[in-house]
């Protein structure tokens, strides 16, 4: 009976093994190696069994073959030995079959990993083919050639190729540490061009409240975005304004609508009651950015507000500058805004020009998750944008800003009660010409390369007086020219005379870099600059 049970168990193991083998065999050619191991194992087993002495000679004078003098289980006591030997043999066979069954299961479990590796290799091959196809395609139309300064000529260098940084977004919580290590490693990588990886997802976060005119912002974002997958639009609404919520909801799946849950008043000092709106805005920004980076697990985001309209190349601009921001630790944001971007103060024929600035511009800006991890624990209760401009937060880092703005504001009504709107903001020129930034070499924006050329360009420029600029006739050449200031008061006087914004935050002028404000005046490039040898900003100038 025991022998019969053992044989049944062996048969059952064989059946199970065959089922596993059939199932694995259907999975395809990736496990041929496993099949070879299976056959080899069985061949060794057969050789082992054939090499054993015949069963019929195991007992003394006991024949175990049917028809012999003693059949199985019959004889002079040899039957019990024969049965024991059969049981032992069955146990060995069963053990071997179980081992092979486990081997097949391991082969099957590794198949998914092999398939993932195969798929990854396939995607990389397709990406390389696509990149070669794009490089061999016709060149896009570039801005018309003009007489350029040495700094501007450097900015027009053609694209020569880049191992761009790929960020898989949304990233998992387990991948956060890997992403941080990747960022640190790429900080020391020389950036040669700015071709953004097609796999980078750059969402747009729209900060909304009670403006139904958010429709104007959303219409342009949806019109110009090249891909909903690469640029998801997230609208975070504060205030609980029902009509604005209906407008946002009318876009359906084209946008993701988030509602700030806490809309109550914030306890403030009596003298700050009139600033309640600024407190709510700071609270909303913190909540919304936590949603983007912590809940939705994106690695970067572009922030706009509900009163901003974007340019046709808004998405192209940020995609091209993402690798620069990711690679250069001296940068902490990319902004679409030029504070001095009024008509008459920008070169209308050079929409491709980009600059570094020490002044945080906001009004359409991109940051990385790593920066939010740094700022979020100390995020202010109010006036978050001026807080960003303090040296404790800026830490001598800069932003990228354009010659011609890629955003414009149409919202005069707001918590600032129209401050600067009538005098400056309403005149900001919005770029209308599509610039193919992803095909241009933007590596000149990396600090080491930029500083050398920028300082040379500024301080080689002839020093002139404001009166000469206004008259124009006495100036020789097409510029650039330099106007020098030496104190806070002289900066303000000169800035007002030249038509640029004269306020300073923590000693930094709007759109300034290393104390220099670059703008266009009467068809010439002008630098409003401190004396040569500038070293730092004076925070008492605020």
């Amino acid at each position: 009976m025991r022998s019969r049970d053992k044989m049944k168990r062996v048969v059952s193991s064989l059946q199970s093994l065959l089922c596993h083998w059939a199932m694995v065999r259907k999975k395809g050619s990736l496990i041929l190696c496993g099949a070879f191991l299976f056959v080899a194992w069985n061949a060794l087993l057969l050789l082992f069994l054939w090499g054993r002495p015949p069963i019929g000679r195991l007992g003394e004078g006991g024949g175990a073959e049917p028809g012999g003098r003693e059949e199985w289980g019959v004889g002079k006591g040899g039957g019990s030995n024969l049965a024991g030997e059969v049981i032992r043999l069955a146990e060995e066979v069963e053990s071997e079959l179980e081992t092979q069954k486990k081997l097949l299961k391991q082969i099957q479990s590794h198949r998914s990993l092999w398939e993932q590796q195969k798929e990854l290799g396939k995607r990389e091959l397709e990406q390389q083919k696509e990149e070669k196809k794009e490089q061999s395609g016709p060149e896009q139309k570039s801005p018309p050639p003009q007489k350029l300064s040495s700094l501007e000529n450097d900015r027009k260098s053609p694209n020569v190729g880049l191992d761009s940084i790929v960020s898989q977004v949304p990233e998992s919580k387990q991948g956060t540490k890997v992403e941080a290590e990747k960022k640190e490693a790429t900080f020391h990588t020389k950036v040669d061009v700015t071709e953004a990886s097609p796999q980078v997802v750059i969402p747009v976060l729209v900060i909304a409240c009670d403006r139904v005119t958010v429709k104007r912002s959303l219409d342009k974002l949806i019109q110009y975005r090249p891909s909903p997958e690469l640029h998801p639009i997230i609208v975070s609404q504060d205030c609980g304004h029902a009509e604005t919520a209906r407008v946002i909801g009318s876009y359906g799946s084209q946008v993701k609508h988030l509602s700030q849950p806490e809309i109550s008043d914030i306890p403030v000092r009596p003298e700050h009651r009139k600033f309640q709106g600024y407190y709510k805005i700071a609270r909303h920004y913190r909540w919304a950015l936590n949603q983007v980076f912590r809940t939705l697990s994106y690695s970067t985001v572009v922030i706009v507000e509900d009163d901003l309209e974007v340019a046709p190349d808004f998405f192209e601009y940020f995609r091209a500058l993402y690798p620069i921001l990711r690679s250069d630790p001296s940068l902490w944001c990319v902004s679409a805004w030029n504070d001095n971007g009024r008509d008459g103060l920008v070169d209308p024929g050079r929409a491709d020009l980009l600059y570094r600035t020490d002044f945080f511009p906001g009004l359409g800006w991109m940051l990385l998750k790593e920066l939010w991890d740094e700022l979020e624990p100390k995020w202010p209760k109010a006036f978050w944008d001026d807080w960003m401009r303090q040296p404790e937060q800026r830490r001598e880092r800069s932003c990228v800003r354009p010659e011609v703005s890629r955003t414009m504001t149409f919202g005069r009504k707001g918590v600032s009660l129209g401050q600067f709107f009538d005098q400056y903001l309403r005149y900001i020129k919005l770029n209308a010409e599509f610039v193919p930034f992803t095909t241009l070499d933007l590596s000149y924006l990396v600090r080491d390369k930029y500083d050398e050329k920028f300082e040379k360009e500024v301080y080689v420029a002839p020093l002139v007086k404001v009166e000469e600029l206004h008259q124009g006739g006495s100036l020789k050449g097409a510029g650039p020219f330099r106007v020098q200031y030496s104190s806070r008061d002289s900066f303000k006087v000169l800035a007002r005379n030249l038509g640029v914004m004269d306020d300073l935050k923590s000693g930094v002028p709007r759109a300034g870099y290393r104390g220099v404000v670059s703008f266009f005046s009467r068809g010439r490039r002008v630098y409003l600059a401190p004396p040569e040898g500038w070293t730092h900003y004076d925070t008492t100038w605020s």
Side-chain angles (χ1 to χ4, degrees):
M1 183 63 68
R2 185 181 174 190
S3 175
R4 186 177 302 169
D5 291 341
K6 285 290 181 179
M7 293 305 295
K8 286 182 179 180
R9 287 166 59 185
V10 171
V11 172
S12 175
S13 296
L14 280 170
Q15 290 175 341
S16 175
L17 182 63
L18 288 173
C19 288
H20 279 282
W21 168 245
M23 179 176 61
V24 173
R25 188 172 177 270
K26 292 178 182 179
K27 299 296 183 179
S29 60
L30 287 176
I31 56 171
L32 287 176
C33 181
F36 174 78
L37 292 174
F38 177 81
V39 173
W41 188 277
N42 279 279
L44 291 173
L45 179 62
L46 289 175
L47 289 174
F48 169 75
L49 294 176
W50 285 343
R52 298 175 65 89
I55 295 177
R57 299 176 184 175
L58 292 175
E60 282 185 18
E65 295 181 2
R69 186 169 57 87
E70 293 181 345
E71 303 236 334
W72 287 35
V74 181
K76 302 178 182 179
S80 60
N81 293 335
L82 179 61
E85 187 65 20
V86 170
I87 292 172
R88 187 175 62 82
L89 180 60
E91 288 175 345
E92 290 180 1
V93 173
E94 182 182 13
S95 176
E96 295 295 336
L97 291 175
E98 286 296 326
T99 301
Q100 295 179 49
K101 182 177 177 181
K102 291 178 181 178
L103 178 62
L104 285 177
K105 286 183 177 180
Q106 290 177 358
I107 294 171
Q108 182 182 355
S109 66
H110 282 79
R111 183 179 182 275
S112 61
L113 178 60
W114 296 338
E115 289 181 342
Q116 289 177 6
Q117 293 175 345
K118 180 181 178 182
E119 184 65 24
L120 179 60
K122 183 179 179 182
R123 286 201 302 267
E124 290 178 349
L125 181 61
E126 291 176 352
Q127 182 179 343
Q128 292 174 0
K129 290 181 179 178
E130 186 66 25
E131 289 175 353
K132 290 180 180 178
K133 183 178 179 182
E134 291 178 357
Q135 292 175 0
S136 62
E139 296 182 357
Q140 301 194 42
K141 186 177 180 181
S142 300
Q146 298 184 16
K147 185 176 181 180
L148 307 176
S149 64
S150 61
L151 177 65
E152 294 171 351
N153 267 316
D154 184 70
R155 298 174 187 179
K156 295 289 290 179
S157 301
N159 189 3
V160 294
L162 168 70
D163 293 330
S164 53
I165 304 155
V166 178
S167 173
Q168 297 180 354
V169 183
E171 64 177 14
S172 65
K173 294 181 179 178
Q174 292 84 354
T176 302
K177 182 177 179 181
V178 175
E179 180 66 26
E181 292 174 351
K182 182 193 299 181
K183 178 175 186 286
E184 183 176 351
T186 55
F187 277 172
H188 305 287
T189 302
K190 181 179 179 182
V191 177
D192 294 321
V193 298
T194 57
E195 180 185 353
S197 168
Q199 296 183 10
V200 177
V201 177
I202 305 177
V204 176
L205 172 63
V206 182
I207 300 293
C209 182
D210 57 356
R211 289 190 181 106
V212 294
T213 51
V214 66
K215 177 176 172 56
R216 179 173 170 180
S217 295
L218 293 177
D219 284 346
K220 290 298 183 181
L221 285 169
I222 292 172
Q223 177 185 349
Y224 294 139
R225 71 171 170 177
S227 166
E229 292 76 25
L230 295 180
H231 297 285
I233 297 173
I234 305 163
V235 186
S236 180
Q237 186 189 359
D238 200 0
C239 309
H241 191 248
E243 189 174 354
T244 302
R246 282 195 294 272
V247 171
I248 299 169
S250 68
Y251 288 88
S253 60
Q254 295 182 92
V255 305
K256 183 177 182 62
H257 186 190
L258 305 177
S259 295
Q260 151 77 318
E262 182 56 67
I263 59 176
S264 62
D265 284 346
I266 299 172
V268 299
R269 302 194 305 270
E271 62 271 22
H272 272 210
R273 287 174 183 168
K274 61 181 178 180
F275 300 131
Q276 178 72 214
Y278 290 101
Y279 282 82
K280 289 185 176 181
I281 288 174
R283 177 178 66 185
H284 185 198
Y285 262 82
R286 184 174 197 164
W287 181 85
L289 285 170
N290 275 331
Q291 291 297 305
V292 169
F293 291 125
R294 309 277 194 258
T295 304
L296 300 176
S297 299
Y298 289 107
S299 65
T300 186
V301 71
V302 176
I303 306 170
V304 299
E305 297 185 0
D306 56 0
D307 61 346
L308 291 182
E309 181 178 329
V310 303
D313 57 356
F314 175 85
F315 292 96
E316 174 81 358
Y317 172 77
F318 283 107
R319 289 199 70 77
L321 287 167
Y322 171 82
I324 296 289
L325 178 63
R326 175 64 71 182
S327 302
D328 187 351
S330 69
L331 291 173
W332 70 327
C333 87
V334 174
S335 175
W337 181 260
N338 177 4
D339 280 289
N340 292 311
R342 299 173 56 184
D343 270 321
L345 292 179
V346 296
D347 186 346
R350 295 306 312 277
D352 62 306
L353 286 181
L354 305 178
Y355 301 86
R356 292 175 68 101
T357 176
D358 295 324
F359 189 90
F360 171 72
L363 295 173
W365 59 288
M366 177 167 63
L367 74 158
L368 302 176
K369 180 180 181 296
E370 291 83 355
L371 179 62
W372 182 242
D373 291 339
E374 172 192 326
L375 297 178
E376 194 270 341
K378 56 179 180 177
W379 190 250
K381 294 182 178 179
F383 311 108
W384 69 270
D385 49 350
D386 283 343
W387 176 82
M388 290 276 290
R389 292 161 183 151
Q390 295 173 357
E392 294 80 8
Q393 278 64 251
R394 188 172 67 83
R395 292 168 55 189
E396 299 185 355
R397 293 173 292 191
S398 304
C399 295
V400 175
R401 60 97 174 168
E403 168 79 1
V404 185
S405 290
R406 264 59 186 185
T407 57
M408 64 165 288
T409 178
F410 54 82
R412 184 180 187 278
K413 179 183 176 182
V415 295
S416 63
L417 302 178
Q419 184 184 19
F420 295 129
F421 184 85
D422 292 330
Q423 187 177 1
Y424 292 104
L425 303 183
R426 67 184 298 178
Y427 301 108
I428 294 294
K429 177 179 174 60
L430 180 66
N431 180 59
E433 173 191 354
F434 186 93
V435 177
F437 283 111
T438 56
T439 69
L440 303 180
D441 179 3
L442 304 182
S443 64
Y444 65 85
L445 291 166
V446 176
R447 182 169 61 184
D448 292 342
K449 298 177 68 173
Y450 188 90
D451 285 1
E452 180 181 356
K453 291 183 177 295
F454 183 76
E455 290 187 31
K456 181 180 178 180
E457 184 78 19
V458 171
Y459 291 102
V460 168
L463 186 63
V464 300
K465 297 180 179 180
V466 173
E467 294 78 17
E468 294 178 281
L469 287 175
H470 288 329
Q471 294 171 1
S474 62
L475 295 178
K476 296 181 180 181
F481 297 101
R482 174 167 51 101
V483 177
Q484 184 169 292
Y485 69 89
S486 57
S487 66
R488 174 184 180 276
D489 291 338
S490 66
F491 172 82
K492 284 185 169 290
V493 170
L494 291 171
R496 289 168 187 165
N497 275 282
L498 293 168
V500 298
M501 298 189 75
D502 67 342
D503 63 321
L504 304 103
K505 303 290 185 180
S506 297
V508 184
R510 289 184 182 268
Y513 184 69
R514 299 185 62 80
V516 179
V517 178
S518 172
F519 60 97
F520 214 57
S521 178
R522 299 176 183 269
R524 297 180 175 93
R525 175 65 55 192
V526 177
Y527 299 114
L528 179 56
E532 192 171 4
W534 178 96
T535 57
H536 65 279
Y537 292 104
D538 187 342
T539 57
T540 64
W541 285 20
S542 297

